[in-house]
Amino acid sequence: MSVLTDWFSLRSAPVPTTALEIASNRVAAAAVEVRGGRPTVSAHGIELLPEGALVPSLTSSNLKDRGAV
């Protein structure tokens, strides 16, 4: 496929209905609806995490405090 074909393919893909970000200091989420033919954020939230609840690691568990996350 060409870059142009890939671009049009991505533009015609359905809009995801949710987004989730998990970072070492927060969890953020958003809900998306299509309104008037355009994707619109309909709800969002951020929850801060206590230090050390989630840590970056390639060799061990990242989740240190399941209850907090």
Side-chain angles (χ1 to χ4, degrees), residues 14-34:
V15 175
T17 58
T18 57
L20 179 66
E21 176 191 31
I22 301 174
S24 62
N25 63 340
R26 71 183 175 279
V27 175
V32 178
E33 296 177 354
V34 176

Side-chain angles (χ1 to χ4, degrees), residues 2-3 5 12 20 24 27 30-31 33 38 42 44 46 48 54 57 62:
S2 73
V3 173
T5 303
S12 65
L20 179 66
S24 62
V27 175
E33 296 177 354
R38 300 182 64 179
S42 59
H44 62 85
I46 298 173
L48 298 178
L54 195 61
S57 177
N62 300 82

Side-chain angles (χ1 to χ4, degrees), residues 1-13:
M1 292 186 145
S2 73
V3 173
L4 188 57
T5 303
D6 290 345
W7 169 253
F8 284 112
S9 175
L10 287 173
R11 296 207 19 102
S12 65

